[in-house]
Amino acid sequence: SEAPVDRPLDALVVGAGVSGLYQLHRLRQLGLDAKGVEAASDIGGTWYWNCYPGARVDSDAPIYQYSVEGLWEGWQFSKRFLSGEEILKYLHYADETFGVSRHIRFNTRVLGARFNDTGNLWEVTTDNSPTITTRLLVMCIGFASKPHQPYFKGLETFRGEWYHTARWPKSGVELEGKRVGVIGTGASGVQVIQEAGKVAKELVVFQRTPNLTFPMRQSTQAEASRSIYPDIFRQRTTTFSGFHMDSIPKPSIEGAAARQAVFDELWGKGGLEFWLGSYDDTLINDTANDYAYAYWRDKVRQRIHKEELLEKLAPTVKMHPFGTKRPALEQHFYEVLNQENVTLVDLNDNPIDEITFTGARTKDGTEYALDLLVMATGFDSATGGYNDIEIKGTNGARFCDKWASGVKSYLGMLAHGFPNMFIEYGPHSPTAFANGPTGIELQVDWIADCIEYMMKNSLVRIEANEKAEQDWTRRVHEVGAKGLWNQAKSWYRGANVPGKVVEDMFWAGGFPSYAKACKEVADNGYEGIIFVKGR
Ligand code: NA7
């Protein structure tokens, strides 16, 4: 089950997560000699690595799955919002149908890839195989393959245990009875904090920006009837975020009473409804945004019992536009923070000065004694995983140099100067703003169709032309500039990693407009793409 090295593969798929598994399946269905490589020891991608306590998806179960016929009919999820563990089980189930994991070489991290211009081949080096030669290179490394680990002075001296949430030991880590510190309150931090709150002896939450969370309203009720699944799958490709719900095409200023009723309903539904199912001017218009924030603040404040936490968790005046940083779903986050054994440290007033032998010391001199320190500090999203691989295109040009001043791509799937390489579930597509499987299926299918087109027409080389790439890049930025996104420091814009280019990295124009753009390119004979015929 290892990638052969004696003759070139037709395609090498890098990564065995939700996108890589399906991509490999689609390519093998075309009769290609396609194989996979994966750094981890098993399939799962994000769900393999992010195995910290409480890891859970924020998309509702019926839509967080492949819409592939013959697959969804035979699987039953147990909850509305799935744990990472259950998703892994589901992916193993999907793999039984796809039959692709036996074509994946595991424990094999791609280190470099060099394009051989004369042979139109990629030469791929890994840490655990001879060089792999392939005609096509399909990067399914997602947007969150590189954890962001900020620098903390003294971390190396800490004698307790510490882990990044995205590099959590597969064997598990005991939280019970320990003094646990968590740095970060993004989606991962909120999840791990809730689990630690149940069992830790003491819990210290180091917060920089409060998360504008939503009630998850987890449910174990049976899912929607199977008979409507095809409708759900169809519907999810028509909504802004690739979810089952869509924004309300009305301004929020329709009147206070009506707005209150709408907000109440969305809040009651739970999940991401209050974000993705609300008025469509919320993320564009500042006044509309204030309405949503005020409602959110007042709801959350009702659950905060420590007076001193009100301003820290749900400030009177919003710190950034509501919904422009990724909200987390929570079940009992505020109840945990109300607990007597839980302390919230506001890093804005009081940053961590140093990690010491025994814990963390903040600027005001307080020492927090810790047994376990959790880094829930996020990812070098979308580009970080690419920068870690030495990718060299035509004339030896380095991919990391190409993106050093900002992402440049055609549809988020092709890059000029890097022929025969496809990018999947990365920047310049709806990735960060869309339900994963919706965006993934669109791109996997588009890439598979494009490769089929190449086969049928004896095309051995594909490359985005420079003008098409410039136009798409400009469109990504224009669409992003219409929203309030640039008023928040978020991973959506690369603002979470010091030194990273801050820009609109993802397509904020909604899933349907992205799907339309991709379809138009294909329908117009792959407009903007240069092919070379060969044998
Ligand atoms: P996020 O959403 O990037 O959250 C990271 C958190 O860590 C966030 O609260 C950050 O505060 C905090 N952080 C980052 N660097 C530091 C430093 N240097 N000091 C203190 N605190 C810091 O990552 P997640 O893993 O939670 O979620 C990632 C996505 O995966 C999620 O949105 C889903 O789409 C799936 P900040 O907000 O920057 O002030």
Side-chain angles (χ1 to χ4, degrees):
S1 70
E2 295 183 354
V5 290
D6 45 346
R7 63 182 178 81
L9 294 172
D10 291 328
L12 182 72
V13 173
V14 182
V18 178
S19 63
L21 290 173
Y22 182 47
Q23 187 73 71
L24 190 51
H25 168 60
R26 284 297 321 270
L27 297 182
R28 293 191 62 85
Q29 266 187 329
L30 293 175
L32 293 179
D33 183 13
K35 306 268 178 187
V37 281
E38 164 58 59
S41 65
D42 203 349
I43 63 171
T46 277
W47 302 108
Y48 173 96
W49 294 104
N50 290 270
C51 58
Y52 58 86
R56 196 174 289 287
V57 72
D58 292 338
S59 297
D60 312 57
I63 61 157
Y64 196 82
Q65 65 180 309
Y66 300 113
S67 70
V68 176
E69 259 176 56
L71 201 60
W72 57 264
E73 291 92 332
W75 184 260
Q76 179 77 47
F77 289 116
S78 74
K79 288 190 177 64
R80 179 177 175 194
F81 295 102
L82 309 170
S83 68
E85 263 169 67
E86 187 163 353
I87 296 169
L88 285 176
K89 279 191 199 137
Y90 166 72
L91 291 175
H92 278 277
Y93 159 77
D95 177 48
E96 282 170 28
T97 298
F98 294 163
V100 289
S101 62
R102 62 179 175 276
H103 303 292
I104 298 168
R105 188 179 170 115
F106 291 99
N107 301 305
T108 304
R109 180 174 286 281
V110 171
L111 302 176
R114 199 177 69 90
F115 188 65
N116 170 336
D117 227 343
T118 41
N120 291 319
L121 295 168
W122 281 97
E123 289 154 12
V124 179
T125 49
T126 78
D127 63 356
N128 187 27
S129 75
T131 299
I132 302 168
T133 309
T134 180
R135 297 178 201 284
L136 302 169
L137 180 63
V138 189
M139 301 299 290
C140 294
I141 64 174
F143 74 95
S145 57
K146 183 172 186 181
H148 168 52
Q149 176 53 61
Y151 170 76
F152 288 105
K153 188 177 155 208
L155 183 57
E156 68 288 349
T157 66
F158 182 53
R159 78 168 169 201
E161 293 172 279
W162 73 268
Y163 306 101
H164 192 285
T165 44
R167 287 294 177 271
W168 202 258
K170 291 302 266 184
S171 52
V173 178
E174 190 60 74
L175 304 179
E176 193 164 343
K178 286 191 181 158
R179 297 166 301 177
V180 179
V182 179
I183 303 181
T185 52
S188 306
V190 166
Q191 291 179 338
V192 81
I193 286 163
Q194 292 175 85
E195 294 309 305
K198 291 179 195 163
V199 295
K201 185 171 157 215
E202 284 163 33
L203 173 61
V204 186
V205 174
F206 297 96
Q207 170 187 284
R208 193 161 65 183
T209 310
N211 197 307
L212 311 188
T213 64
F214 300 125
M216 176 181 285
R217 310 220 191 280
Q218 177 67 298
S219 147
T220 51
Q221 277 171 7
E223 303 171 54
S225 146
R226 287 268 163 74
S227 61
I228 66 163
Y229 274 30
D231 291 333
I232 292 178
F233 294 140
R234 214 170 303 121
Q235 190 194 1
R236 75 179 187 184
T237 67
T238 67
T239 65
F240 191 88
S241 299
F243 275 68
H244 51 294
M245 74 284 222
D246 209 353
S247 53
I248 304 166
K250 272 198 278 187
S252 326
I253 38 180
E254 62 171 348
R259 191 169 58 240
Q260 180 74 24
V262 166
F263 282 173
D264 284 346
E265 190 192 337
L266 294 170
W267 194 259
K269 284 183 180 171
L272 294 174
E273 295 273 353
F274 196 82
W275 190 36
L276 305 176
S278 191
Y279 295 101
D280 65 3
D281 57 356
T282 310
L283 299 173
I284 296 169
N285 179 298
D286 212 34
T287 308
N289 195 272
D290 282 339
Y291 291 142
Y293 180 74
Y295 183 95
W296 175 87
R297 177 199 61 210
D298 296 346
K299 278 286 178 197
V300 164
R301 282 191 164 215
Q302 292 168 15
R303 288 170 56 195
I304 300 169
H305 299 155
K306 293 180 185 166
E307 186 72 29
E308 71 278 15
L309 291 188
L310 288 172
E311 277 304 310
K312 307 233 172 276
L313 292 169
T316 309
V317 180
K318 63 188 184 186
M319 307 182 76
H320 54 266
F322 179 80
T324 54
K325 288 181 74 136
R326 171 66 150 72
L329 298 189
E330 58 81 31
Q331 302 184 72
H332 48 262
F333 181 61
Y334 298 100
E335 289 67 28
V336 164
L337 292 165
N338 285 334
Q339 285 173 208
E340 279 314 311
N341 64 340
V342 178
T343 307
L344 184 100
V345 178
D346 183 344
L347 297 177
N348 300 301
D349 306 343
N350 197 13
I352 294 173
D353 243 3
E354 194 172 358
I355 305 293
T356 64
F357 199 52
T358 52
R361 189 177 57 244
T362 46
K363 194 172 158 223
D364 67 354
T366 311
E367 303 252 2
Y368 296 92
L370 302 170
D371 305 307
L372 172 64
L373 182 55
V374 181
M375 299 286 179
T377 47
F379 300 88
D380 182 349
S381 66
T383 58
Y386 288 89
N387 288 336
D388 273 1
I389 302 172
E390 178 86 1
I391 301 173
K392 288 186 172 175
T394 49
N395 305 318
R398 298 193 318 162
F399 197 58
C400 59
D401 291 338
K402 181 184 173 81
W403 280 4
S405 57
V407 175
K408 294 162 198 77
S409 88
Y410 190 36
L411 301 172
M413 292 190 278
L414 291 163
H416 177 71
F418 296 82
N420 293 9
M421 181 175 88
F422 293 92
I423 296 161
E424 164 94 6
Y425 203 46
H428 279 194
S429 60
T431 305
F433 306 131
N435 174 43
T438 317
I440 283 169
E441 283 189 3
L442 175 98
Q443 290 190 321
V444 166
D445 290 339
W446 191 92
I447 289 169
D449 290 348
C450 179
I451 291 173
E452 190 176 18
Y453 173 84
M454 290 177 73
M455 286 164 64
K456 283 191 179 145
N457 295 285
S458 308
L459 306 171
V460 292
R461 179 169 163 138
I462 172 173
E463 184 178 358
N465 87 36
E466 200 166 9
K467 170 77 170 55
E469 182 178 272
Q470 283 165 358
D471 288 348
W472 181 253
T473 303
R474 201 192 54 242
R475 279 181 73 184
V476 171
H477 294 162
E478 278 170 5
V479 161
K482 287 185 184 152
L484 301 170
W485 308 100
N486 60 10
Q487 293 177 39
K489 282 190 177 177
S490 72
W491 63 260
Y492 292 154
R493 308 189 75 247
N496 63 325
V497 174
K500 189 165 173 168
V501 178
V502 177
E503 59 169 346
D504 293 297
M505 271 202 299
F506 299 97
W507 175 258
F511 185 84
S513 63
Y514 176 73
K516 183 162 171 269
C518 294
K519 185 167 184 307
E520 276 171 7
V521 167
D523 288 351
N524 295 334
Y526 291 98
E527 198 175 19
I529 295 171
I530 304 157
F531 292 101
V532 173
K533 244 182 166 33
R535 280 170 4 96

